[in-house]
Amino acid sequence: MENAAAEITLATKLQFLPGVGLDRSKRFQKLGLRTVRDLLFLFPRDYELPAPPASVTKLREGVPASLVGTITDAEIVSRTPGRSVFGAIVENDTGAVRILFFNQPFRADQLTFDRQVMISGEPKLNGLRWEFVHPKVTFLDEADNDGSPPRPRILPIYPLTDGVKQADLRRLTRDLLPPIVATLTEVMPDRLRSLAAESLRVAGIKLAGALPPIDTALQQIHHPDDEQSLLGARSRFVFQELLVMQLALAMRRRKLTTDLQAPPLPSSGIVEARILKRFSFDLTGDQKVTIAEVAADMQRQFPMNRLLQGDVGSGKTVVAIYAMMLAVANEHQAVLMAPTEVLARQHYQTLRQTLADSRVRIGLLCGSLGASERRDVLQRTASGEIDLLVGTQALLSDSVNFAKLGLCVIDEQHKFGVGQRVALRSGGVDPHYLVMSATPIPRSVAMTLFGDVELSTLKEKPPGRGTVNTYLSHDGWRDRWWAFVSQQLDEGRQAFVVAPRVDAGETDSDDTEDIASVETIFAELSNGPLAKYKVGLLHGRMPNDEKQSIMQQFASGDLQVLVSTTVIEVGIDVPNATVMTILGAQRFGLAQLHQLRGRVSRGTHAGHVCVFTDGPQSPEENERLKVFEKTNDGFELAEADFRMRGPGDMLGRKQSGLPPMRIADLTEDVQVLAVAREIAQAMIDDDPELAAEDLTELHGQVMRRYGKRLELGDAS
Ligand code: ADP
Ligand code: MG
């Protein structure tokens, strides 16, 4: 049996620690703590900061305050059992206060004459004297372990479970740390810690000196000397955790480039000019940059894996067309997949227009095709007769075979769900992938979930875009709003009305009565405020040809108003539509609202969006709608959404395959994440297997934590 008094190491079981024992060690197990290592790497979730001491003259009734002083008088005022009262006077240069404890006679033994204390609590004025009842007391005359002058300390706050007290954990970590820290192995060599600190400072983190070595850092993360040391220690562990993750992702990016084979599809001046001639406008700066990135990716012999994010209307399709033309110019096929049939057809039309009178042969594959039409498309795809195939998820069917697929473009990828990789394979080589999304991914998610993907961003909008005004409706606004809509229609514009459900009978929750239904709305509007105008109805349950015909009529201006569910959400391009009414808006997420709004900012006229809610809203729903009204920047909205919902929603889906973070907070520590990513990439570029002698420990940590999950193989 282990001798508790002998040597305590990281591996020592908690039950063998003095003062713990078997019973209490079981409670620790509920927190996942079995060994000394578990305990010391359980990082505090927060800290209790000592309030800066005030002076007696500045005390205010009921406002929490701390005072430092000397006990100048102490006595038990009443000894009545069950009603004993102990009182003492704490005095300093600025005055004296009384402290009182009821039924705690033991206080008389601690709070004795002449002791130095700091008290914290809520002062009350009793006559002319300030009183603190049951204040928190810190003794300042007990020298610190290291013999430094006494001072109030920052205290760790640990996650707790039944039967484990804050005081237990504080005592254990305080006692265990000094002997243990000396035995720890450093994972990050000096050079790495200095480099990291330098970069973190550039990123705006106010570190003094290098990141602390493991012994100091572990001591300071639990029992910091001051806030600066705490910042240093926390930065070190956050950086280390994120660095380990980013090293793993960088190793994986590298591995993908060596394991997979794609056809090189290079561009040239002539090809480029021929493609660009197809557009009737000049590309935006961002489009040019992205196209250069895409061209550079596609000429390599491993697959491009690029995510193109750009707010609605930023012109992502141009980039897609460019990439597809590049594939065709290199005698390969390209496929473009969209989440809805409406959008797939729209892309098909756009491609046909853009490539009219060229030799590029374009096909369309979606669910509503007739059997013979479908057979024909499949056959021509397999024989290589079709160069560009546009379609919906129908493209994923087993019966779709390409003769020579070189590129796969996925539009509105957020509609397909995070992490979904599309498997379209053709003849042994892997196609290049271009994935497009109008829902910008928060930076931290892009650097983690999509950590092995290259990122391009279109921030700049094509010139001549109207602005969009967003209004949150107020009581009694309906009449005024419909009057405004009518006025816009009279000026020749068109309008969308969006509602969340198809019909009032559909139930998927317990409060369906309030749900605005497109069918009711359609009836109300076409018989009421918009009776003068041509109003159409569109929803997902209509037969496809009917949907097509309605969309067509709206696009051509035959319909002035389109009452619709969110089928119109993705990608629909009708520049003359400038007014949108969103009903039941509390049911939509921020990203979805923003997508909808994107439908009315596509022409040169200013867009107007009015948001109506039905029924009472929760404070979160309210908050969301306010943010939506305030900001029109998709990136800002995505970050706000991420902050409001927390990373759990996006990262917690477990599709990421990434383990949870122990100390880093992906919503807060984005700067550190960016620094870790940059350093990790440089390290892997320089030393792909982390073979340097002083990186052995770090390499081991990467493999233990991520090796299996990211299929990094056995790199040892
Ligand atoms: P999204 O990024 O939302 O998919 P689209 O690619 O549908 O945006 O582009 C929106 C509209 O802007 C289209 O009508 C497209 O023709 C037009 N457009 C794209 N790029 C430019 C540009 N550089 N200059 C002018 N118009 C452009
Ligand atoms: Mg689009």
Side-chain angles (χ1 to χ4, degrees), residues 279-285 287 308-321 343 346-347 350 354 411-412 436-438 458 460-465 570-575 595 598-599 601-603:
F279 300 114
S280 58
F281 39 71
D282 291 331
L283 303 198
T284 64
Q287 281 171 329
L308 169 58
Q309 50 177 7
D311 213 342
V312 278
S314 58
K316 296 184 290 294
T317 316
V318 167
V319 179
I321 294 177
L343 188 56
Q346 185 181 291
H347 276 316
T350 306
T354 311
D411 194 18
E412 309 285 352
M436 310 200 288
S437 173
L458 300 182
E460 191 184 341
K461 297 234 166 139
R465 283 300 146 82
V570 283
I572 303 299
D573 195 12
V574 181
Q595 279 276 317
R599 300 306 117 221
S601 54
R602 304 178 83 79

Side-chain angles (χ1 to χ4, degrees), residues 451-519:
D452 51 9
V453 173
E454 308 291 335
L455 201 62
S456 297
T457 303
L458 300 182
K459 276 231 154 187
E460 191 184 341
K461 297 234 166 139
R465 283 300 146 82
T467 48
V468 192
N469 306 301
T470 305
Y471 322 97
L472 281 190
S473 73
H474 299 283
D475 287 344
W477 259 43
R478 279 189 191 245
D479 293 346
R480 275 176 61 196
W481 173 250
W482 294 123
F484 174 77
V485 173
S486 308
Q487 184 195 323
Q488 289 276 311
L489 296 172
D490 291 339
E491 285 173 19
R493 306 283 82 76
Q494 290 168 280
F496 289 109
V497 178
V498 185
R501 290 287 186 279
V502 177
D503 64 68
E506 190 184 3
T507 53
D508 68 354
S509 68
D510 46 357
D511 56 350
T512 45
E513 307 228 325
D514 284 336
I515 296 177
S517 92
V518 263
E519 274 166 359

Side-chain angles (χ1 to χ4, degrees), residues 197-270:
E198 204 44 62
S199 309
L200 289 171
R201 265 192 293 278
V202 172
I205 293 166
K206 296 194 173 55
L207 289 172
L211 290 178
I214 184 65
D215 50 353
T216 315
L218 196 60
Q219 177 74 49
Q220 295 296 320
I221 197 88
H222 288 284
H223 297 282
D225 287 337
D226 48 44
E227 291 187 51
Q228 188 64 47
S229 318
L230 174 57
L231 176 68
R234 184 169 188 282
S235 302
R236 182 219 143 97
F237 286 114
V238 170
F239 175 77
Q240 181 178 340
E241 181 163 51
L242 296 172
L243 178 71
V244 167
M245 169 175 68
Q246 290 301 326
L247 283 170
L249 289 168
M251 287 167 87
R252 182 170 146 100
R253 278 196 294 275
R254 200 182 166 86
K255 192 163 147 14
L256 291 179
T257 64
T258 51
D259 283 8
L260 298 179
Q261 286 258 319
L265 305 172
S267 185
S268 70
I270 300 169

